[in-house]
Amino acid sequence: MVIKVHSYESMGTFDGPGLRLVVFLQGCNFCCLYCANPDTISVGGGIVTEPEEIVRMALSQKPFFGKKGGITFSGGEPTLQAKALIPIFRKLKEEGIHTCLDSNGSIWNEDVEELFGLTDLVLLDVKQFNAIRHRSLTGHSNEQTLCLTSWLEKQRKPFWLRYVLVPGYSDFEEDIISLGEALGGNQMIQRVEILPYHTLGVHKYEAMKQEYLLQEVKENTLDQIEHAANLFKRYFPTVYVN
């Protein structure tokens, strides 16, 4: 079974611990208004890749990973290709390569459950805690994402909680507080990463002849970021701004 890959990043430092090979997979079930990689959304694109090729790439870069690094599968949404990823994760585990899965957590079936079980560290993207605002921001429910946090806790599976801070969409104080109250006691959350909103992907919309719907939204001020970080720190011991 082949994998549909959008692109690769060698020696990545923002998607998991240490130096990492980051594999961006094609296809996503969310349509986030601020998506910086709209070209990854369509399931019809991407480069058809044999699983063995990805394993070979990881093995060739393994000397650079050190004790903390490894490989991260991002997207798009990797769990759309869970069945094809399972044998890759098994092989990577056999080779002693640390695996991360960057996911919105919205898809659940037997293959996805097995894939999460094989993953060393989950990077869970929680877009918004408020259900109504989450749907307006992503076009999708956040119910399964929040259910996944409970599953990860029960399975003793470590994860990082990632939160994109979009002014006027996900920076509401009451929503961050509600998120903290709901998940602050979760022992498997190793850290919270605040990802400030940026407009670096706007040119992709222009190239694809698509309208970028958040043209009027400005990037976060330092005060906005600091305020959000302080709110998260009330509930989580380790908070980073990525």
Side-chain angles (χ1 to χ4, degrees):
M1 185 175 292
V2 296
I3 302 291
K4 299 186 76 173
V5 176
H6 175 268
S7 56
Y8 301 91
E9 179 184 357
S10 296
M11 306 306 164
T13 58
F14 293 102
D15 297 289
L19 292 175
R20 311 193 70 81
L21 168 63
V22 186
V23 184
F24 296 95
L25 301 183
Q26 186 70 31
C28 187
N29 61 324
F30 276 18
C31 290
C32 298
L33 297 180
Y34 57 82
C35 181
N37 296 299
D39 46 333
T40 69
I41 294 176
S42 172
V43 296
I47 304 166
V48 176
T49 307
E50 295 292 336
E52 294 79 12
E53 176 61 24
I54 297 175
V55 174
R56 281 196 295 269
M57 290 181 65
L59 288 172
S60 69
Q61 296 186 28
K62 185 178 180 181
F64 301 99
F65 294 154
K67 295 181 179 180
K68 294 184 178 181
I71 184 170
T72 297
F73 290 86
S74 186
E77 173 50 45
T79 58
L80 285 173
Q81 302 187 60
K83 182 179 289 292
L85 287 174
I86 287 170
I88 297 178
F89 273 59
R90 288 175 178 161
K91 183 61 176 177
L92 292 170
K93 186 175 288 291
E94 290 175 5
E95 298 291 347
I97 295 177
H98 184 274
T99 55
C100 283
L101 189 67
D102 184 5
S103 172
N104 62 38
S106 66
I107 299 173
W108 193 252
N109 53 50
E110 291 182 357
D111 292 326
V112 172
E113 183 173 5
E114 183 174 356
L115 182 62
F116 277 123
L118 291 168
T119 303
D120 293 312
L121 175 66
V122 176
L123 310 180
L124 183 62
D125 301 304
V126 177
K127 313 293 185 178
Q128 236 290 9
F129 185 78
N130 180 282
I132 296 175
R133 288 173 178 153
H134 185 280
R135 187 173 288 278
S136 67
L137 185 63
T138 69
H140 203 287
S141 169
N142 65 354
E143 182 178 359
Q144 180 54 49
T145 303
L146 298 177
C147 286
L148 178 59
T149 64
S150 298
W151 185 89
L152 293 170
E153 179 77 358
K154 291 178 182 177
Q155 297 297 318
R156 310 302 294 168
K157 181 68 62 177
F159 68 102
W160 294 0
L161 191 156
R162 310 181 101 189
Y163 193 88
V164 180
L165 193 68
V166 186
Y169 289 86
S170 60
D171 65 340
F172 296 99
E173 181 173 307
E174 62 267 29
D175 297 339
I176 296 175
I177 290 174
S178 295
L179 174 61
E181 291 176 343
L183 301 182
N186 193 314
Q187 297 180 2
M188 289 295 102
I189 298 178
Q190 293 186 339
R191 65 193 278 176
V192 170
E193 289 192 329
I194 299 173
L195 284 63
Y197 168 75
H198 63 75
T199 57
L200 298 177
V202 172
H203 70 282
K204 296 183 180 180
Y205 289 84
E206 297 171 352
M208 297 171 65
K209 295 182 171 24
Q210 294 182 7
E211 181 183 5
Y212 184 67
L213 298 177
L214 300 187
Q215 293 183 17
E216 304 303 318
V217 177
K218 305 298 182 183
E219 295 187 355
N220 307 105
T221 65
L222 292 178
D223 286 343
Q224 288 172 336
I225 296 171
E226 183 178 3
H227 181 62
N230 287 334
L231 290 174
F232 276 107
K233 287 176 182 176
R234 293 182 187 178
Y235 305 96
F236 305 97
T238 308
V239 178
Y240 291 87
V241 177
N242 198 340

